[in-house]
Amino acid sequence: WTCRPAPLASASVLLLRTTDEWATWFRVRVRTLQAPGWDPLGGPCQCAEGPEHKSPHKHQTRFFRLQSVLYLWSPGVQGFTRLSGLDCGLSLRDVHTQHSTGLSRSTQQYRRLFYGANQIEVKVPSIPKLLVKEVLNPFYIFQVFSVLLWSLDDYYYYASAILFMSLLSVCTSLYTVRKQYVLLHDMVSAHNVVRCSVFRGTEEDTEEILSTDLVPGDVIVIPPNGMMMPCDAALVGGTCIVNESMLTGESVPVMKTQLPLPPRGQPDAAVSELLYDPEEHRRHTLFCGTEVIQTRYYSGERVRAVVVRTGFSTVKGRLVRSILFPRPSEFQLHRDAARFLLGLVGLATVGMAYSLTLSARQGESLGRMLVEALDIVTITVPPALPAAMTAGVVYAQQRLRGGGIFSTSPQRINTAGQVNLVCFDKTGTLTEDGLDLWGVRRIQDNRFCPPEHQVAAESLERSHFLVAMATCHSLTRIEGRLSGDPLDVKMFEATGWVLEEPSPEETALHDLMTPTVVRPAKQAPAETQASEERDLDIAAVMGCYEVGILAQFPFSSSLQRMSVVTRVLGERRLHAYLKGAPETVARLCRPESVPCDFWEVLENHTAGGLRVIALAHRCLEPRLSWHRLHSVNREVVECDMELLGLVMMQNQLKVQTVPVLSELHRAGIRCVMVTGDSMLTAVSVARESGLVPPQAQVIVAEAVPPRDGQPATVHWSYSQEGPTPDSQAGAEPSYHFALTGRSFCTLLEHFPDLLPKLLLCGTVFARMAPEQKTQLVEELQQVDYFVAMCGDGANDCGALKRAHVGVSLSQLEASVASPFTSRTPDISCVPRLIREGRAALVTSFCVFKFMALYSII
């Protein structure tokens, strides 16, 4: 408080204020960092006084830390900027050419001065510190004052009762808060420190260090048996199978491939536009907190990844920060109660003045006058009000506990009574964890065959349709079990084929990666016919039908398709198989191969809540050989296809999902879906569960950020699931908006006026990262919704903490941040919680009116 105003460049203490409606103030102290350089991503600068002067020149860098984020003084902008890693403004070519060999020890030590330890540290406050923070609550101070006053006036029994209730409340609150800190600390520190190998300037020089010593620019070696990732890193060599359930909530391993290297010979201007972005290149990025299950490599090379972010800057660090430092929330009943109590204080002041005047005229002693005057305050403003208002909450908490719902923040029960919007996660919350194959519709002679529910028939064993189902996927084997996208797993298992992958020992013997092979589990030797495209010697020796997957173009949410290039054992020609959204696949097929009733059949199946996938095939030209596959674009392969048919998948809903959503709808409570899954799956589940009515139209809003000098734009399109606009003739129009996480962030940054309008009718939010879920909850609160969040994964922690009411269906990570945890793993707990919240809210309101009127009378 003895500070005086000073220019920002020389200030030692800063007062910072948030720009939201809360206008929260922070007081931070500016400190100085001594380092042999000023660029955090550079290296130590030697002093230019001659070779005899070996010690580096020390630069002073001013910085401050706020909510675990470091801000450095930038002379160029004359202000403080947030410390960033290699995730901003770095081209793909630079990642490969400048950062793929690691850092020297001196450079690593220099960067550690700026970035500190690569550790997400959650400090558990001591009990005295928590006690001071809790007791400084104005109501507790007033209660202590009242107890002392009543003791002076010989009201010992009443004072003892108030003191006992206050102590019980303080102890309960301290236990709950400290338990939350301990649980969060244990969750974060479980995999906070691991040992890892890093390159030291060359690929031959490696060193084993603790993960706490990692800095952006280090190149770590991913061991063959995997590891828990201690940082965010870009994969620059090899492939990895990763479990990203901490981020997406989907317990499905995904394949990560190395970051693509731009082809040589391009102009510098074109290459400079290919910038690395962790979100855009998430298929090539290993995120902190995710588990690498296994790796694949060839020719003896090691799997390498460049560290791009560490500590609280990682995805996991941002999730933990959202739990530790949530935005403030205010309950309307408490706000109105505080205003009313201020009015009572004013009334008590008038009573005090009257009492002092009357006592003075009667000649009473000064001590007696003060006790009687202050008694009026304790009568007008009842000290027992907080304890009395918790009566309804206590009984509601007991009833919830009997229903298998446990609360770590009982005061949120009242808030549950005002909920008018509920956000639901999808996988594990609304649906079961997997997909089921409903059936297929093959195409023969340009016509659809009747629906078939069994495809593993001998007559279809070598058909292109069955080969497409067996090869067009990104599956792998982990400890002998198939792992990958649930849709791919179900499709492959339905074929009855076997997938064989080369062992690491076999792969290391070849310069090129040995392909994955699929074949029927049981097959009889077929008659071998002479053909220009078939090698009779190989076919005769092997006597079996095997298909090798030579190349794969992975699924892209923007393209809505994936494809593979295969070769049958003994044949010279290559075959391409395509899988994706029916509308997308149909556009890439020859028109004569698409049945005339294609759109009618597609609409009939999607209207029934099925997830429809189209398959296509193409026999590649002889010029497209094995060696040319890795240098051609996918557009060259994915054209002039022949449509093979449709595959229908069904995402099973939990039994309680539809009736609970219907009950919430009848109660006037809006429901939305917030998931990390794809848009197509999310829209399909939204229709099946009733979030989107059968005749409603889903409009997908795709926001594109500024690029190549063009401003940000928003594109509107009808979802590929559900009725077309023409099919709604005569029906009342109903529209629901759907957004992806990337579009949501673009709208939030570039279209702040449009976003609230979309949120009022937005029902499906797909591909949402953990921090995007939290931002969505905050934006919904901005448009005056009382938001509840129901989820079951670690990726929901931030949103569960930020929502007015968070309900976790898991006993693991999500329960750490959630005020409520349900033992029943379905959403039936949500209406029960809202009912008990309304009952507790009515009780609290009536108690408040009674206590207030009692004091006034």
Side-chain angles (χ1 to χ4, degrees), residues 240-279:
C240 296
I241 307 298
V242 186
N243 181 357
E244 289 191 328
S245 59
M246 192 278 294
L247 292 181
T248 63
E250 310 295 324
S251 58
V252 178
V254 296
M255 178 175 289
K256 302 281 187 174
T257 58
Q258 72 178 39
L259 201 65
L261 178 63
R264 298 182 182 275
Q266 292 187 0
D268 293 341
V271 176
S272 63
E273 293 299 324
L274 299 172
L275 299 179
Y276 169 70
D277 179 65
E279 285 301 319

Side-chain angles (χ1 to χ4, degrees), residues 307-516:
V307 178
V308 294
R309 294 183 298 210
T310 59
F312 280 97
S313 297
T314 62
V315 170
K316 182 179 179 181
R318 294 201 298 266
L319 176 62
V320 174
R321 284 202 306 114
S322 67
I323 298 174
L324 289 175
F325 311 107
R327 293 177 61 182
S329 59
E330 193 173 13
F331 188 38
Q332 186 175 359
L333 175 63
H334 296 161
R335 184 174 63 249
D336 293 343
R339 292 173 179 174
F340 185 78
L341 289 177
L342 287 177
L344 292 182
V345 170
L347 182 62
T349 304
V350 176
M352 283 181 59
Y354 176 77
S355 176
L356 288 172
T357 304
L358 188 61
S359 298
R361 290 181 179 177
Q362 295 177 354
E364 294 185 5
S365 62
L366 180 60
R368 189 61 188 173
M369 290 170 55
L370 290 176
V371 170
E372 291 180 351
L374 293 175
D375 266 341
I376 295 178
V377 179
T378 61
I379 293 173
T380 309
V381 183
L385 181 61
M389 289 185 64
T390 58
V393 173
V394 170
Y395 285 111
Q397 187 177 13
Q398 291 178 352
R399 292 192 295 269
L400 288 173
R401 190 180 296 114
I405 303 174
F406 300 90
S407 174
T408 59
S409 182
Q411 63 270 21
R412 296 288 186 101
I413 296 178
N414 274 336
T415 313
Q418 286 195 311
V419 166
N420 52 12
L421 184 145
V422 185
C423 298
F424 290 103
D425 183 34
K426 183 184 74 67
T427 306
T429 303
L430 296 177
T431 69
E432 303 291 349
D433 287 331
L435 289 166
D436 291 322
L437 180 68
W438 183 86
V440 300
R441 296 289 299 270
R442 294 185 298 112
I443 296 177
Q444 286 185 347
D445 301 327
N446 204 29
R447 293 184 178 180
F448 277 108
C449 297
E452 301 171 84
H453 300 285
Q454 297 292 333
V455 295
E458 292 185 5
S459 59
L460 301 177
E461 187 175 89
R462 304 190 182 189
S463 66
H464 286 302
F465 188 89
L466 198 64
V467 174
M469 292 181 62
T471 59
C472 201
H473 53 70
S474 57
L475 299 178
T476 186
R477 283 197 174 276
I478 299 176
E479 297 180 355
R481 298 181 59 184
L482 279 177
S483 296
D485 189 279
L487 184 146
D488 291 343
V489 173
K490 288 294 182 180
M491 285 180 58
F492 184 81
E493 290 178 345
T495 63
W497 284 36
V498 177
L499 182 142
E500 296 178 348
E501 287 184 322
S503 65
E505 293 77 13
E506 295 172 335
T507 306
L509 297 176
H510 299 82
D511 291 334
L512 297 174
M513 186 172 291
T514 308
T516 300

Side-chain angles (χ1 to χ4, degrees), residues 702-708 710-713 742-743 746 749-751:
E702 182 182 359
V704 181
R707 181 174 297 180
D708 299 331
Q710 300 295 324
T713 56
R742 183 176 300 177
S743 297
T746 304
E749 182 177 358
H750 300 284
F751 301 94

Side-chain angles (χ1 to χ4, degrees), residues 533 566-568 571-575 619-622:
E533 300 177 0
T566 68
R567 191 174 76 173
V568 179
E571 291 188 2
R572 296 186 179 92
R573 295 285 291 272
L574 304 182
H575 296 265
C619 185
L620 298 180
E621 298 81 1

